[in-house]
Amino acid sequence: MKRENKYDAKHLADVDVLVVGGGFPGICAALAAARLGVRTLLVERNAVIGGQAAEIDTWGLDGFLDIDGRLLIRGIPWEILNLAVAEGQSDPLFSKIDYRLMEEEGIDAALRKADLEPYIPYSRPDSWMNAFNDQYVNPNAYRYVALKLLEEAGVQILYQMPVIDAILEGKALKGVIVQGENGSKYEILARRIVDTSQSAVVSTCAGNPFPHSNGYMGTLVRVSGIDIMRTLDFIEEQIASEDPAVLQAEEEEMRKAKEEGTRAPEPGWFLRPMVGKRAQPDEMRRLVQGGNPLFIHGFMKTLEKAIRDNPEYAAIKRSNGEHVWLFYERDNMGCYPVFGDGFEEVDVADPLNYSSAVNAARRLQWIYHRFFREYIPGFENAHLMDVYANISKALRVPEEPEGFTEYTISREDLAGYSDRKDILTYVRGHPHSGQNEHGWGIPMASLIVRGYDNLLVTGKPAGRMIHYIATCAKVGEAAGAAAAVSVLENTPLRETDSDKVKSRIG
């Protein structure tokens, strides 16, 4: 049967495994496949790999650990994290932990050994925040490590080549059409395809769109030249000027919530990773002097003054809600978590709606920076730095996308009660959302798109609760290994032995 190629595209490659998307999942998928000895090609729509893992400060060691603080995500994602941290200029907390002790006795024991008592307990049931929810991994160190490993594994990378169509023989998926930078169209044939894009673009091109396109989005832009000690002096002055009765009431509410095991209310100033307590400037100074990052929530009284001076600053309050955020990384560098109006519900599939939301977020980047520069001491000489080409986003999938893949992950699976035989790996999902935080299984069938025996997906298309950066990467590794084993065994994906795949995942 003749292949459909309406573009008369030039033939570019014929490979065993094609990986679509160069984010963390795609990197891990390509490495897993190539290390098993199959010809692997990675296509990326931009001129840089790394994806959202290089654009947002939410790597979080907790994504690699279970609720007891023991390592859950190993293999290629853990390898990349450790190599990136070893390059330097990442969060020092990563290198202070005795991981052997953590495995034997849990992370609280490792924290005590490292004189990090304020970070205990590691995880709390009354809050989504903990000592390791947000940690800075130097994005360029991460990209360097990923590129080096991909090159060593023999993975070919094609940049600025978005997938624009699928190649079909009848209903059989044979490859994809990509568009080059000069507008030329190219044909890539592949025995197996691992689609790590957020919206399952290959399946959509083949006529089977992923049914969920609403998401929340924003952008974290970097800023340099911060005099953080001046900023902490300012915060101390602000706290000293507040009504003591209000402060006492806040402390009482937080104490009561902690005793009852309920979620503590957010105080007027608070600081991750110090959860369930008001931020203390001396504590913040100690953390900074130790090289640790700060995620500061507050600045609302100053924002209200700025709004009175210039109503344009009201956009910050509309988008950020009860707090203005600053993520201070280290070495006078940080980032602003910036969102546009209506960022909570953006229809990514609607060009007008999506573009409007992007415009709002991009405009707000400068407004946010101007607010800090004009109103927050320590930012007078700060500079807004690189603005990423992408907008970070996560799809909202209210229920499992039933019927999109060969198997729909159920609530029983999320609770850890699955008795399926094809589970490839165990992961954590979005914190405090009804899943088993000791880890729940990812069945191989949940990665296989229904109707195609050679197409795998990762991320939300594979499961609603796939969320953490570490989890997304681990699912990518599993998909890449499954694709490679399927090729080596010359079996369709649905007939491939999941035990053989599992044995090849670290």
Side-chain angles (χ1 to χ4, degrees):
M1 184 178 293
K2 186 179 180 180
R3 290 200 304 269
E4 300 173 18
N5 187 344
K6 61 188 177 184
Y7 296 100
D8 191 26
K10 301 174 185 177
H11 181 72
L12 183 61
D14 194 331
V15 297
D16 294 318
V17 175
L18 170 66
V19 177
V20 176
F24 204 3
I27 291 166
C28 293
L31 283 172
R35 286 175 175 181
L36 290 177
V38 300
R39 294 169 300 160
T40 305
L41 178 66
L42 173 64
V43 296
E44 165 57 38
R45 65 181 180 178
N46 296 302
V48 63
I49 64 168
Q52 290 189 183
E55 299 181 10
I56 55 178
D57 287 305
T58 53
W59 274 71
L61 187 61
D62 62 343
F64 290 86
L65 309 179
D66 66 17
I67 193 68
D68 294 325
R70 288 182 169 82
L71 197 60
L72 178 65
I73 302 295
R74 304 171 187 269
I76 293 174
W78 185 242
E79 175 188 0
I80 291 175
L81 170 63
N82 280 275
L83 288 173
V85 170
E87 288 292 328
Q89 295 193 316
S90 291
D91 191 327
L93 277 179
F94 281 119
S95 56
K96 289 181 179 179
I97 302 302
D98 182 333
Y99 293 110
R100 184 185 296 275
L101 179 63
M102 182 186 79
E103 280 292 277
E104 294 173 353
E105 301 181 28
I107 197 170
D108 285 358
L111 289 171
R112 290 189 184 94
K113 181 180 178 181
D115 293 324
L116 294 171
E117 292 281 346
Y119 293 87
I120 299 173
Y122 145 72
S123 189
R124 292 174 42 160
D126 64 317
S127 174
W128 53 271
M129 295 183 290
N130 61 62
F132 300 105
N133 184 258
D134 297 277
Q135 287 177 281
Y136 175 62
V137 174
N138 187 287
N140 293 309
Y142 154 57
R143 288 184 176 124
Y144 165 76
V145 165
L147 285 170
K148 184 178 179 181
L149 293 178
L150 289 167
E151 181 179 356
E152 291 172 350
V155 177
Q156 175 71 54
I157 308 173
L158 297 179
Y159 292 103
Q160 291 189 271
M161 285 197 165
V163 172
I164 61 171
D165 209 347
I167 300 173
L168 301 169
E169 279 187 3
K171 292 185 178 180
L173 179 62
K174 296 298 182 179
V176 300
I177 302 294
V178 296
Q179 180 169 298
E181 179 67 10
N182 65 349
S184 297
K185 313 298 189 297
Y186 298 93
E187 169 190 85
I188 300 174
L189 303 181
R191 297 175 65 186
R192 304 292 180 267
I193 300 174
V194 180
D195 184 356
T196 67
S197 65
Q198 287 183 317
S199 301
V201 63
V202 176
S203 185
T204 298
C205 289
N208 179 33
F210 181 56
H212 301 281
S213 62
N214 274 23
Y216 60 94
M217 50 155 282
T219 178
L220 285 81
V221 290
R222 279 185 163 72
V223 59
S224 67
I226 302 170
D227 184 344
I228 191 63
M229 290 304 179
R230 285 202 65 214
T231 305
L232 296 182
D233 290 343
F234 170 72
I235 291 173
E236 186 170 42
E237 293 171 2
Q238 293 295 303
I239 292 175
S241 68
E242 294 180 15
D243 186 343
V246 173
L247 300 182
Q248 186 174 355
E250 277 186 0
E251 295 287 352
E252 178 61 24
E253 281 187 282
M254 288 184 285
R255 183 195 63 76
K256 185 176 179 182
K258 185 174 182 180
E259 289 178 355
E260 297 175 353
T262 58
R263 182 163 178 170
E266 296 179 354
W269 286 95
F270 72 99
L271 170 72
R272 286 193 256 172
M274 305 304 168
V275 180
K277 58 184 285 188
R278 173 178 283 272
Q280 299 297 325
D282 285 344
E283 186 174 46
M284 298 160 84
R285 294 186 185 99
R286 177 181 58 80
L287 286 168
V288 169
Q289 289 165 351
N292 297 305
L294 304 177
F295 201 159
I296 303 170
H297 302 228
F299 304 107
M300 288 306 293
K301 185 184 295 185
T302 306
L303 178 60
E304 294 293 350
K305 178 182 185 305
I307 292 171
R308 291 193 294 272
D309 294 341
N310 183 351
E312 189 175 30
Y313 291 120
I316 299 175
K317 186 174 183 179
R318 290 197 303 269
S319 63
N320 283 55
E322 297 180 1
H323 295 276
V324 179
W325 301 334
L326 169 67
F327 194 107
Y328 178 76
E329 293 160 354
R330 57 181 296 166
D331 303 329
N332 304 318
M333 293 283 294
C335 70
Y336 305 128
V338 175
F339 308 101
D341 291 344
F343 81 98
E344 286 282 359
E345 291 293 341
V346 178
D347 187 351
V348 176
D350 181 340
L352 296 177
N353 181 246
Y354 180 61
S355 296
S356 176
V358 171
N359 282 340
R362 295 298 191 200
R363 289 195 306 270
L364 193 56
Q365 289 173 346
W366 187 256
I367 295 172
Y368 209 101
H369 177 58
R370 191 204 306 148
F371 163 71
F372 269 84
R373 190 161 45 88
E374 294 182 353
Y375 288 90
I376 307 300
F379 282 78
E380 296 88 347
N381 297 313
H383 292 273
L384 196 63
M385 301 294 285
D386 50 324
V387 176
Y388 293 110
N390 284 327
I391 289 285
S392 299
K393 53 186 175 293
L395 296 182
R396 291 190 180 278
V397 183
E399 297 296 333
E400 287 300 326
E402 187 172 356
F404 184 70
T405 55
E406 291 283 323
Y407 176 73
T408 299
I409 296 175
S410 68
R411 293 191 177 276
E412 289 73 22
D413 296 327
L414 295 173
Y417 302 130
S418 177
D419 58 358
R420 292 186 62 88
K421 307 301 183 186
D422 66 336
I423 289 177
L424 300 182
T425 188
Y426 286 85
V427 300
R428 287 183 70 185
H430 196 289
H432 309 287
S433 301
Q435 87 284 13
N436 179 2
E437 294 203 58
H438 290 282
W440 47 270
I442 300 290
M444 183 163 164
S446 69
L447 308 182
I448 305 171
V449 176
R450 187 180 296 274
Y452 303 101
D453 62 8
N454 66 338
L455 177 60
L456 298 121
V457 290
T458 63
K460 291 292 195 292
R464 171 175 61 93
M465 300 304 288
I466 294 174
H467 179 79
Y468 277 113
I469 284 177
T471 293
C472 293
K474 191 63 183 180
V475 175
E477 180 187 9
V485 171
S486 174
V487 168
L488 295 171
E489 297 289 321
N490 197 27
T491 57
L493 287 167
R494 63 177 58 86
E495 298 174 17
T496 298
D497 187 341
S498 59
D499 286 337
K500 291 183 178 180
V501 177
K502 191 185 308 182
S503 70
R504 288 163 170 79
I505 301 174

